[in-house]
């Protein structure tokens, strides 16, 4: 059994980042809503508990409290932002609104040499005070320490920016150590989970394979599994892991909707059928998808049509396989590449009390329609862990570390109506852009610009512009290049790509893709723009 950290979520938008930082310290953790029962907390047996931030005020929402078991269990507790405030009021301190709110960068002075911050600092003042560069986001503040607590950190406008009761192992900070803007944040969380809580660092993907394989074999037994293979990272890693566990008991159905990237279908087949020797059925449904999309311009309608058709085609293929007795007669499991953020955001954590932020197509629905049980071997993993697992399973890094690709594929990168002509032009232009990103090395880091960007792609614009080629006038289509850098995809900056690379990419697209005569570069950040155009 792995040592476990329990994260109680009070409604912060960045709670998942806390879990990611804990996992990066090679410690297993789970997020659960703050109103879980005392019995749940005791049966979970955490080595420590972390209380998240929140949009709420402690003196306005008296229901938003940590369960009593948090304080009765006798394990270390770390409160972050609102988590610090509820710790204060529940243990006898006081919180009030602040005349000066703090949102953004701040410099915090450490006090008292507590175990959490001992030896951790970004710089030291002339007076010898250790200082931390942190990210603040609060309007309220602790105004009175609970009994037994000492001051751990302060800013000029927030005299109690951190507090600790080291006898009980209680620590709290008003800032957010989980975000990358807090420079020493990862070191603080690592200190808390590894040293203060005493967790072993045994959550490692290479070692996890054996454990995951055993779980799959126990769940499936001698029954059959079908999986919808999209070519994306999650379904690919799920397929590789399940195939490692049960071999030919798995059959993958790869639905090619005609909106994939250049040569993507062949690459998927070569990897899974050619190299892993998995059973894969490739369905060319491009005419069906493009036919249903004809005349449709609204992005949401396009998404719904593509998602619905995928389900229809997959169901039809599953029924065909059963009827033919072709290796999956009597299949009882549907495998999906659901990952942990999908589960949390869909309110699908074990207690079922989490607030639903958005629905995900791969969390529910299809298993019931097919009358199958669900197999989700990645549902406890974050995306970066899924990638590590994929490499450990032998998938090529260039497949596993590819940039995110939307489920509807190029259907939402072609603005307006989707036509085969547009998809063919976009595929070739996008392949050139990605090739140039991979081939352009940044001299400062030694990395390719593909690795330095978090997501990069080409968008097809349904407009024509006048151009000149040779002595002739052209009237052809326009594409936009998009490349962003982000740590969490919640905010993103446009990537400052080298002009020489943009010039080379533009020249190649215009010269090599007949039908495009103008290339633009999108310099919008998120917010106010989104990363994808649709």
């Amino acid at each position: 059994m792995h040592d476990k950290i329990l994260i109680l979520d009070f409604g912060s938008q960045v709670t998942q980042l806390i879990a990611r930082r804990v996992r990066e310290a090679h410690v297993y953790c789970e997020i659960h809503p703050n109103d879980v029962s005392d019995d749940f907390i005791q049966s979970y047996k955490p080595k420590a508990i972390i209380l998240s931030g929140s949009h709420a005020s402690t003196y306005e929402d008296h229901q938003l409290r940590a369960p009593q078991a948090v304080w009765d269990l006798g394990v270390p507790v770390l409160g972050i932002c609102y988590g610090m405030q509820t710790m204060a009021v529940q243990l006898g301190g006081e919180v009030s609104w602040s005349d000066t709110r703090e949102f953004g960068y701040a410099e915090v002075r450490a006090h008292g040499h507590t175990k959490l911050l001992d030896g951790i600092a970004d710089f030291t003042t002339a007076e010898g005070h250790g200082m931390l560069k942190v990210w603040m986001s609060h309007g309220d503040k602790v105004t009175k320490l609970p009994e037994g607590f000492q001051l751990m950190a302060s800013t000029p406008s927030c005299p109690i920016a951190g507090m600790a009761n080291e006898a009980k192992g209680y620590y709290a900070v008003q800032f957010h150590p989980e975000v990358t803007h807090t420079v020493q944040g990862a070191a603080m969380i690592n200190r808390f989970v590894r040293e203060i809580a005493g967790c072993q660092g045994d959550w490692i993907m290479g070692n996890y394979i054996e454990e995951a394989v055993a779980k799959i074999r126990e769940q499936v037994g001698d029954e059959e599994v079908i999986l919808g293979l999209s070519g994306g990272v999650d379904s690919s890693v799920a397929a590789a892991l399940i195939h490692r566990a049960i071999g030919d008991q798995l059959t993958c159905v790869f639905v090619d909707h005609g909106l994939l990237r250049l040569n993507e279908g062949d690459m998927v087949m070569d990897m899974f059928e050619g190299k892993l020797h998995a059973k894969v059925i490739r369905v060319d449904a491009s005419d069906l998808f493009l036919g249903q999309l004809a005349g449709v311009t609204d992005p949401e309608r396009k998404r719904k049509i593509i998602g619905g058709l995928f389900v229809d085609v997959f169901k039809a293929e599953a029924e065909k396989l059963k009827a033919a007795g072709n290796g999956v007669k009597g299949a009882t499991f549907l495998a999906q590449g659901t990952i942990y953020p999908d589960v949390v955001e869909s309110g699908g954590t074990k207690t079922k009390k989490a607030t639903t932020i958005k629905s995900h197509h791969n969390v529910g629905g299809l298993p019931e329609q097919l009358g199958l049980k669900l197999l989700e071997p990645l549902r406890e993993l974050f995306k970066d862990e899924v990638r590590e697992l994929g490499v450990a399973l032998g998938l090529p890094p260039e497949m596993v570390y590819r940039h995110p690709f939307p489920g509807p594929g190029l259907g939402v990168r072609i603005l307006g109506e989707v036509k085969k002509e547009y998809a063919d032009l976009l595929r070739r232009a996008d392949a050139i852009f990605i090739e140039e990103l991979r081939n352009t090395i940044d001299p400062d880091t030694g990395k390719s610009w593909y690795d330095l960007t978090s997501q990069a792609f080409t968008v097809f614009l349904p407009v024509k512009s006048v151009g000149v080629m040779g002595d002739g006038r052209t009237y052809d289509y326009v594409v936009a290049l998009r490349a962003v850098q982000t740590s969490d995809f919640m905010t993103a900056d446009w990537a400052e790509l080298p002009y020489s690379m943009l010039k080379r990419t533009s020249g190649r697209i215009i010269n090599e893709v007949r039908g495009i005569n103008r290339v633009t570069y999108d310099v919008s950040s998120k917010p106010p723009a989104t990363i994808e155009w649709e």
Side-chain angles (χ1 to χ4, degrees), residues 94-140:
E94 293 178 6
V95 173
S96 68
W97 63 278
S98 177
D99 290 329
T100 307
R101 299 187 301 169
E102 288 183 300
F103 292 95
Y105 175 80
E107 292 181 356
V108 170
R109 176 186 163 186
H111 296 265
H113 303 288
T114 59
K115 192 169 182 181
L116 182 68
L117 300 182
D118 189 29
I120 297 177
D122 289 303
F123 66 97
T124 303
T125 66
E127 296 81 16
H129 304 313
M131 302 293 291
L132 297 162
K133 298 177 179 180
V134 305
W135 189 259
M136 288 280 198
S137 181
H138 70 103
D140 301 338

Side-chain angles (χ1 to χ4, degrees), residues 327-347:
V328 291
K329 189 169 180 62
T332 54
F333 283 95
L334 171 71
Q336 294 187 151
T338 308
I339 63 175
Y340 196 48
D342 300 339
V343 176
V344 174
E345 290 176 356
S346 297

Side-chain angles (χ1 to χ4, degrees), residues 221-258:
D222 59 359
E223 297 175 51
E224 302 279 344
V225 179
I226 50 177
L227 177 145
L229 188 60
S230 69
V233 174
D234 300 337
S235 69
S236 296
V237 175
L241 179 60
I242 296 167
H243 184 258
R244 172 78 66 95
I246 60 173
D248 283 350
Q249 289 169 253
L250 169 69
T251 299
C252 301
V253 178
F254 174 46
V255 179
D256 185 344
H257 51 33

Side-chain angles (χ1 to χ4, degrees), residues 169-459:
Y170 295 167
Y171 298 85
V173 291
Q174 188 58 68
F175 53 86
H176 288 268
E178 70 272 31
V179 302
T180 54
H181 304 77
T182 297
V183 179
Q184 299 291 338
M188 294 175 208
I189 289 176
N190 192 81
R191 171 75 56 81
F192 179 73
V193 299
R194 296 292 295 274
E195 295 182 34
I196 294 171
C199 292
Q200 301 176 56
D202 61 357
W203 183 250
I204 299 165
M205 287 302 98
N207 301 341
Y208 177 67
I209 293 173
E210 192 176 329
E211 184 181 324
V213 162
K215 270 190 199 171
I216 293 167
R217 286 176 179 162
E218 181 182 0
Q219 187 177 353
V220 173
D222 59 359
E223 297 175 51
E224 302 279 344
V225 179
I226 50 177
L227 177 145
L229 188 60
S230 69
V233 174
D234 300 337
S235 69
S236 296
V237 175
L241 179 60
I242 296 167
H243 184 258
R244 172 78 66 95
I246 60 173
D248 283 350
Q249 289 169 253
L250 169 69
T251 299
C252 301
V253 178
F254 174 46
V255 179
D256 185 344
H257 51 33
L259 298 168
L260 298 171
R261 290 167 284 198
L262 190 67
N263 302 323
E264 189 165 22
D266 294 339
M267 184 182 76
V268 169
M269 294 303 293
D270 178 64
M271 170 51 56
F272 285 93
E273 192 175 56
K275 293 187 172 64
L276 294 182
H277 307 296
K279 290 192 293 186
V280 185
I281 294 166
R282 182 174 184 174
V283 184
D284 184 354
S286 52
D287 290 344
L288 172 65
F289 279 80
L290 291 170
Q292 292 289 315
L293 289 166
V296 178
T297 58
D298 179 71
E300 279 307 303
R301 273 199 67 208
K302 289 196 287 187
R303 286 178 181 275
K304 284 177 180 172
I305 288 168
I306 293 168
L309 284 176
F310 181 88
V311 171
D312 291 344
V313 172
F314 184 83
K315 281 169 65 177
E317 290 301 317
E319 293 300 334
K320 268 193 233 172
L321 285 166
K322 287 183 184 181
N326 189 18
V328 291
K329 189 169 180 62
T332 54
F333 283 95
L334 171 71
Q336 294 187 151
T338 308
I339 63 175
Y340 196 48
D342 300 339
V343 176
V344 174
E345 290 176 356
S346 297
T349 47
K350 291 175 183 175
T351 61
K352 300 292 181 186
K353 288 184 181 178
T355 302
T356 299
I357 297 170
K358 58 183 175 179
S359 60
H360 290 262
H361 72 278
N362 60 337
V363 177
L366 191 56
E368 290 82 0
Q369 294 176 45
L370 289 171
L372 298 174
K373 294 177 283 187
L374 197 53
L375 177 64
E376 295 176 313
L378 309 180
R379 68 178 282 118
E380 295 178 341
L381 306 183
F382 283 98
K383 185 69 127 190
D384 47 355
E385 294 172 319
V386 171
R387 294 187 197 278
E388 287 178 37
L389 182 62
V391 171
L393 285 164
L395 294 178
E398 58 270 23
M399 171 185 271
V400 170
Y401 284 95
R402 279 191 308 170
H403 291 173
F405 189 58
L410 301 182
V412 290
R413 290 181 178 173
I414 296 169
L415 302 194
E417 184 181 6
V418 177
K419 296 182 180 179
K420 185 178 186 300
E421 173 199 0
Y422 299 167
D424 289 341
L425 289 172
L426 178 56
R427 253 187 284 274
R428 292 165 60 204
D430 186 68
I432 289 170
F433 183 33
I434 299 304
E435 183 181 318
E436 289 296 336
L437 284 166
R438 288 191 184 279
N439 291 341
T440 305
I441 306 301
D442 173 53
D444 294 332
T445 63
K447 294 182 177 180
S448 76
W449 271 99
Y450 185 83
D451 292 328
L452 290 172
T453 51
S454 308
Q455 195 166 354
F457 54 91
T458 309
V459 179

Side-chain angles (χ1 to χ4, degrees), residues 461-472:
L461 309 185
V463 293
K464 286 188 171 184
S465 74
V466 173
V468 177
M469 287 193 183
D471 295 323

Side-chain angles (χ1 to χ4, degrees), residues 88-89 92-96 141-147 160 163:
V89 296
E94 293 178 6
V95 173
S96 68
K141 62 184 180 183
V142 175
T143 52
K144 177 186 173 187
L145 290 170
E147 187 177 344
I160 305 176
M163 62 183 193

Side-chain angles (χ1 to χ4, degrees), residues 52 304 320 488 496:
S52 84
K304 284 177 180 172
K320 268 193 233 172
D488 54 20
E496 297 184 27

